[in-house]
PDB file of all heavy atoms in Angstrom:
ATOM      1  N   THR D 345      52.075  -7.069  61.361  1.00  0.00           N
ATOM      2  CA  THR D 345      51.449  -7.580  62.574  1.00  0.00           C
ATOM      3  C   THR D 345      51.167  -9.059  62.486  1.00  0.00           C
ATOM      4  O   THR D 345      50.379  -9.601  61.855  1.00  0.00           O
ATOM      5  CB  THR D 345      50.099  -6.871  62.803  1.00  0.00           C
ATOM      6  OG1 THR D 345      49.216  -7.120  61.704  1.00  0.00           O
ATOM      7  CG2 THR D 345      50.237  -5.416  62.938  1.00  0.00           C
ATOM      8  N   GLU D 346      52.033  -9.863  63.364  1.00  0.00           N
ATOM      9  CA  GLU D 346      51.899 -11.205  63.385  1.00  0.00           C
ATOM     10  C   GLU D 346      50.677 -11.612  64.173  1.00  0.00           C
ATOM     11  O   GLU D 346      49.876 -12.570  63.707  1.00  0.00           O
ATOM     12  CB  GLU D 346      53.038 -11.838  64.071  1.00  0.00           C
ATOM     13  CG  GLU D 346      53.112 -13.394  64.224  1.00  0.00           C
ATOM     14  CD  GLU D 346      53.046 -14.081  62.821  1.00  0.00           C
ATOM     15  OE1 GLU D 346      53.830 -13.653  61.908  1.00  0.00           O
ATOM     16  OE2 GLU D 346      52.318 -14.944  62.649  1.00  0.00           O
ATOM     17  N   ASN D 347      50.290 -10.809  65.163  1.00  0.00           N
ATOM     18  CA  ASN D 347      49.037 -11.133  65.884  1.00  0.00           C
ATOM     19  C   ASN D 347      47.784 -10.631  65.342  1.00  0.00           C
ATOM     20  O   ASN D 347      47.837  -9.419  64.656  1.00  0.00           O
ATOM     21  CB  ASN D 347      49.205 -10.636  67.303  1.00  0.00           C
ATOM     22  CG  ASN D 347      50.236 -11.234  68.238  1.00  0.00           C
ATOM     23  OD1 ASN D 347      50.458 -12.412  68.091  1.00  0.00           O
ATOM     24  ND2 ASN D 347      50.889 -10.491  68.941  1.00  0.00           N
ATOM     25  N   THR D 348      46.670 -11.357  65.448  1.00  0.00           N
ATOM     26  CA  THR D 348      45.454 -10.900  64.816  1.00  0.00           C
ATOM     27  C   THR D 348      44.344 -10.853  65.875  1.00  0.00           C
ATOM     28  O   THR D 348      44.424 -11.537  66.960  1.00  0.00           O
ATOM     29  CB  THR D 348      45.064 -11.862  63.777  1.00  0.00           C
ATOM     30  OG1 THR D 348      44.753 -13.073  64.262  1.00  0.00           O
ATOM     31  CG2 THR D 348      46.053 -12.055  62.760  1.00  0.00           C
ATOM     32  N   PRO D 349      43.174 -10.105  65.722  1.00  0.00           N
ATOM     33  CA  PRO D 349      42.889  -9.403  64.499  1.00  0.00           C
ATOM     34  C   PRO D 349      43.654  -7.890  64.571  1.00  0.00           C
ATOM     35  O   PRO D 349      43.802  -7.343  65.664  1.00  0.00           O
ATOM     36  CB  PRO D 349      41.452  -9.023  64.537  1.00  0.00           C
ATOM     37  CG  PRO D 349      41.161  -9.185  65.967  1.00  0.00           C
ATOM     38  CD  PRO D 349      41.975 -10.153  66.547  1.00  0.00           C
ATOM     39  N   SER D 350      44.088  -7.420  63.485  1.00  0.00           N
ATOM     40  CA  SER D 350      44.749  -6.105  63.364  1.00  0.00           C
ATOM     41  C   SER D 350      44.213  -5.466  62.196  1.00  0.00           C
ATOM     42  O   SER D 350      44.248  -6.030  61.051  1.00  0.00           O
ATOM     43  CB  SER D 350      46.172  -6.331  63.150  1.00  0.00           C
ATOM     44  OG  SER D 350      46.805  -6.984  64.273  1.00  0.00           O
ATOM     45  N   TYR D 351      43.911  -4.272  62.209  1.00  0.00           N
ATOM     46  CA  TYR D 351      43.419  -3.412  61.147  1.00  0.00           C
ATOM     47  C   TYR D 351      44.142  -2.080  61.112  1.00  0.00           C
ATOM     48  O   TYR D 351      44.204  -1.194  61.985  1.00  0.00           O
ATOM     49  CB  TYR D 351      41.795  -3.028  61.305  1.00  0.00           C
ATOM     50  CG  TYR D 351      41.074  -4.374  61.447  1.00  0.00           C
ATOM     51  CD1 TYR D 351      40.658  -4.938  62.588  1.00  0.00           C
ATOM     52  CD2 TYR D 351      40.436  -4.855  60.234  1.00  0.00           C
ATOM     53  CE1 TYR D 351      39.872  -6.059  62.765  1.00  0.00           C
ATOM     54  CE2 TYR D 351      39.634  -5.916  60.339  1.00  0.00           C
ATOM     55  CZ  TYR D 351      39.347  -6.608  61.534  1.00  0.00           C
ATOM     56  OH  TYR D 351      38.503  -7.787  61.660  1.00  0.00           O
ATOM     57  N   TRP D 352      44.691  -1.910  59.825  1.00  0.00           N
ATOM     58  CA  TRP D 352      45.283  -0.631  59.661  1.00  0.00           C
ATOM     59  C   TRP D 352      44.196   0.537  59.558  1.00  0.00           C
ATOM     60  O   TRP D 352      43.155   0.421  59.019  1.00  0.00           O
ATOM     61  CB  TRP D 352      46.170  -0.607  58.307  1.00  0.00           C
ATOM     62  CG  TRP D 352      46.759   0.684  57.976  1.00  0.00           C
ATOM     63  CD1 TRP D 352      48.015   1.221  58.307  1.00  0.00           C
ATOM     64  CD2 TRP D 352      46.094   1.838  57.357  1.00  0.00           C
ATOM     65  NE1 TRP D 352      48.260   2.526  57.968  1.00  0.00           N
ATOM     66  CE2 TRP D 352      46.900   2.911  57.278  1.00  0.00           C
ATOM     67  CE3 TRP D 352      44.877   1.967  56.562  1.00  0.00           C
ATOM     68  CZ2 TRP D 352      46.653   4.082  56.571  1.00  0.00           C
ATOM     69  CZ3 TRP D 352      44.523   3.097  56.073  1.00  0.00           C
ATOM     70  CH2 TRP D 352      45.510   4.242  56.013  1.00  0.00           C
ATOM     71  N   HIS D 353      44.777   1.863  59.936  1.00  0.00           N
ATOM     72  CA  HIS D 353      43.797   2.967  59.871  1.00  0.00           C
ATOM     73  C   HIS D 353      44.698   4.235  59.600  1.00  0.00           C
ATOM     74  O   HIS D 353      44.095   5.268  58.924  1.00  0.00           O
ATOM     75  CB  HIS D 353      42.915   3.148  61.045  1.00  0.00           C
ATOM     76  CG  HIS D 353      41.590   2.420  60.978  1.00  0.00           C
ATOM     77  ND1 HIS D 353      40.700   2.702  60.148  1.00  0.00           N
ATOM     78  CD2 HIS D 353      41.392   1.198  61.409  1.00  0.00           C
ATOM     79  CE1 HIS D 353      39.600   1.934  60.097  1.00  0.00           C
ATOM     80  NE2 HIS D 353      40.035   0.913  60.904  1.00  0.00           N
ATOM     81  N   GLY D 354      45.987   4.377  59.924  1.00  0.00           N
ATOM     82  CA  GLY D 354      46.532   5.558  59.615  1.00  0.00           C
ATOM     83  C   GLY D 354      48.006   5.735  59.552  1.00  0.00           C
ATOM     84  O   GLY D 354      48.763   5.051  60.186  1.00  0.00           O
ATOM     85  N   TRP D 355      48.583   6.372  58.582  1.00  0.00           N
ATOM     86  CA  TRP D 355      50.076   6.620  58.552  1.00  0.00           C
ATOM     87  C   TRP D 355      50.497   7.763  59.230  1.00  0.00           C
ATOM     88  O   TRP D 355      49.852   8.831  59.310  1.00  0.00           O
ATOM     89  CB  TRP D 355      50.404   6.869  57.022  1.00  0.00           C
ATOM     90  CG  TRP D 355      50.443   5.611  56.160  1.00  0.00           C
ATOM     91  CD1 TRP D 355      49.401   5.172  55.354  1.00  0.00           C
ATOM     92  CD2 TRP D 355      51.803   4.933  55.930  1.00  0.00           C
ATOM     93  NE1 TRP D 355      50.006   4.089  54.606  1.00  0.00           N
ATOM     94  CE2 TRP D 355      51.325   3.809  55.046  1.00  0.00           C
ATOM     95  CE3 TRP D 355      52.982   4.915  56.460  1.00  0.00           C
ATOM     96  CZ2 TRP D 355      52.220   2.829  54.482  1.00  0.00           C
ATOM     97  CZ3 TRP D 355      53.899   3.944  56.030  1.00  0.00           C
ATOM     98  CH2 TRP D 355      53.412   2.850  55.184  1.00  0.00           C
ATOM     99  N   ASN D 356      51.576   7.737  60.006  1.00  0.00           N
ATOM    100  CA  ASN D 356      52.357   8.823  60.526  1.00  0.00           C
ATOM    101  C   ASN D 356      52.847   9.650  59.387  1.00  0.00           C
ATOM    102  O   ASN D 356      53.448   9.053  58.461  1.00  0.00           O
ATOM    103  CB  ASN D 356      53.418   8.344  61.465  1.00  0.00           C
ATOM    104  CG  ASN D 356      53.915   9.489  62.354  1.00  0.00           C
ATOM    105  OD1 ASN D 356      54.321  10.534  61.947  1.00  0.00           O
ATOM    106  ND2 ASN D 356      54.265   9.122  63.544  1.00  0.00           N
ATOM    107  N   PRO D 357      52.774  10.938  59.580  1.00  0.00           N
ATOM    108  CA  PRO D 357      53.389  11.835  58.467  1.00  0.00           C
ATOM    109  C   PRO D 357      54.956  11.606  58.216  1.00  0.00           C
ATOM    110  O   PRO D 357      55.433  11.983  57.218  1.00  0.00           O
ATOM    111  CB  PRO D 357      53.035  13.204  58.935  1.00  0.00           C
ATOM    112  CG  PRO D 357      51.949  13.149  59.754  1.00  0.00           C
ATOM    113  CD  PRO D 357      52.035  11.887  60.365  1.00  0.00           C
TER     114      PRO D 357
END
Side-chain angles (χ1 to χ4, degrees):
T345 60
E346 180 62 43
N347 295 324
T348 67
S350 304
Y351 298 92
W352 174 89
H353 274 282
W355 278 95
N356 190 317

